[in-house]
Amino acid sequence: MLRHVDVAAKSLEPYRAVAGAEVVAELERLAAPLRGARILQINATAYGGGVSVLLRSLVPLYRGLGLTVDWRVMPGTPEFFTVTKGLHNALQGASFDLTEERRGLYLDHNREVAEALRRQDHYDVVIVHDPQPAAVRHFLGGDDTRWVWRCHIDTSHPDPAAIRFLEPLVAEYDALVYTMEEFLPADLRDRPVRIITPAIDPLSPKNLPLPDDLVRGILAWTGISLDRPLVSQISRFDPWKDPLGVVEVYRRVREQVPGTQLALVGQMALDDPQGWEILRQIQQESVDDDDIHVLTNFTGIDDVGVNAFQRASSVVLQKSIREGFGLVVSESLWKGTPVVAGRTGGIPLQMPDGVGGYLIESTEECVARTVELL
């Protein structure tokens, strides 16, 4: 019922050159009291989303510090993930009819996951990520396990019905972790809360240095012309990322910079059925334009491919309407590529005005700044 994700321990030694010896020493000091404790991370997908990207780096590094950390993924039916995607969107402010049937489906599935977890070995700490498995804690109370809910999304202006449903479940956790204090709903501010901003892994396949010939080879393989400007947005196909708005920006930019190409690179995830509908809309919108390249992990673009696109792009867009953090911004800046991004969520923390690119608040501003950078 809970799928184990295989990852190996990763030494922190290579990070001394990136983060500094003092940072590595501090991590070793903080990890020492936790050695011997059993820690479990639970989320809804092993690939395709920001949480899985973080865990794929964090869990090996935890193990490299001598901690006993497992990562398990909750399974789900298409119907369950349709409900959780609707709940996810509602927590970010969209409307969603959370009917009794949908509530029941959500709770019943979390109950099944809880019963499967009860049959696993005992864990001292369980860290649950985002809404999909948030109710597992409700069905597994009563022992000495410490529970942490890690929310990666902006729940500052949620749909009232959605937050009324989720808050009692989340309130049962021993601690909450949010990306920004501004994301915390008012009714949870009396809970034990820690603010932890995510970060990129500079030594992961997505961020490792790549030789120029490999970068050029990957782009040529996907049909990109290497001698014309390339604008890219790299994100899940999600309405909050405004991919159709990106297509509009591209078309208006192309009027001023002829020959510009657009790449929309998205990671499809098992827990996001809405992504397939957004992908269909993008493909339909771009069917008559050979200079719009729509690419996914299902068409051969893995983390190394994403790395190549971020390095080769003339400009990377992140035209988010609502954003949890948007680490693709830091990934692109790490590679020296200018970014034009929405002034929302955690994006301004990564690129203050004028640093590495531009923060924008409208399509018109996005067009103007992109043309300026091209």
Side-chain angles (χ1 to χ4, degrees), residues 50-77:
V51 177
S52 61
V53 170
L54 290 170
L55 291 178
R56 196 161 289 280
S57 287
L58 284 175
V59 173
L61 289 172
Y62 289 147
R63 291 180 174 182
L65 286 166
L67 305 184
T68 304
V69 183
D70 290 333
W71 174 15
R72 296 188 182 274
V73 171
M74 72 180 306
T77 62

Side-chain angles (χ1 to χ4, degrees), residues 61-319:
L61 289 172
Y62 289 147
R63 291 180 174 182
L65 286 166
L67 305 184
T68 304
V69 183
D70 290 333
W71 174 15
R72 296 188 182 274
V73 171
M74 72 180 306
T77 62
E79 294 78 14
F80 172 75
F81 285 133
T82 297
V83 170
T84 58
K85 182 62 177 183
L87 180 59
H88 175 111
N89 287 337
L91 291 170
Q92 293 196 140
S95 60
F96 179 62
D97 187 8
L98 194 58
T99 63
E100 285 300 320
E101 180 180 1
R102 287 170 171 168
R103 293 171 191 239
L105 175 63
Y106 174 83
L107 292 172
D108 287 346
H109 193 77
N110 270 262
R111 182 185 294 108
E112 292 176 8
V113 172
E115 289 303 317
L117 184 57
R118 195 187 304 276
R119 296 191 292 271
Q120 303 287 333
D121 293 336
H122 177 268
Y123 288 96
D124 300 289
V125 179
V126 178
I127 303 170
V128 176
H129 295 264
D130 279 344
Q132 298 94 326
V136 170
R137 165 70 180 86
H138 176 72
F139 298 108
L140 272 180
D143 62 11
D144 59 351
T145 300
R146 297 297 182 95
W147 290 78
V148 178
W149 189 57
R150 176 55 163 114
C151 182
H152 298 268
I153 59 180
D154 180 353
T155 62
S156 57
H157 299 90
D159 175 79
I163 199 64
R164 280 198 303 269
F165 172 68
L166 193 68
E167 274 182 343
L169 300 171
V170 172
E172 296 180 5
Y173 282 78
D174 298 290
L176 312 178
V177 176
Y178 270 78
T179 298
M180 298 174 63
E181 188 173 355
E182 294 84 349
F183 289 177
L184 190 63
D187 290 345
L188 291 176
R189 292 185 180 274
D190 62 341
R191 304 297 302 160
V193 177
R194 294 293 181 269
I195 305 301
I196 302 176
T197 55
I200 67 169
D201 180 351
L203 302 184
S204 71
K206 190 182 285 188
N207 296 308
L208 279 171
L210 298 179
D212 289 343
D213 60 343
L214 177 59
V215 171
R216 294 175 64 83
I218 289 172
L219 266 70
W221 174 73
T222 63
I224 301 292
S225 175
L226 302 176
D227 58 358
R228 292 191 281 136
L230 174 63
V231 174
S232 299
Q233 176 156 301
I234 297 155
S235 64
R236 289 173 72 160
F237 295 125
D238 184 292
W240 300 106
K241 316 294 186 185
D242 195 20
L244 295 179
V246 171
V247 174
E248 179 185 353
V249 167
Y250 150 77
R251 287 178 172 152
R252 292 171 61 177
V253 167
R254 191 179 171 100
E255 293 173 358
Q256 302 180 58
V257 187
T260 298
Q261 306 164 93
L262 174 66
L264 289 164
V265 183
Q267 297 287 299
M268 309 304 294
L270 184 65
D271 66 333
D272 187 7
Q274 186 183 29
W276 293 100
E277 172 58 22
I278 300 296
L279 174 61
R280 186 195 65 78
Q281 294 174 15
I282 296 168
Q283 291 172 329
Q284 183 175 345
E285 182 67 21
S286 61
V287 68
D288 295 324
D289 190 336
D290 291 339
D291 280 335
I292 300 178
H293 303 266
V294 184
L295 305 160
T296 76
N297 47 326
F298 283 89
T299 58
I301 300 299
D302 58 7
D303 283 352
V304 174
V306 168
N307 189 340
F309 269 88
Q310 289 173 330
R311 291 182 184 279
S313 295
S314 310
V315 179
V316 167
L317 301 183
Q318 188 59 39
K319 194 178 180 295

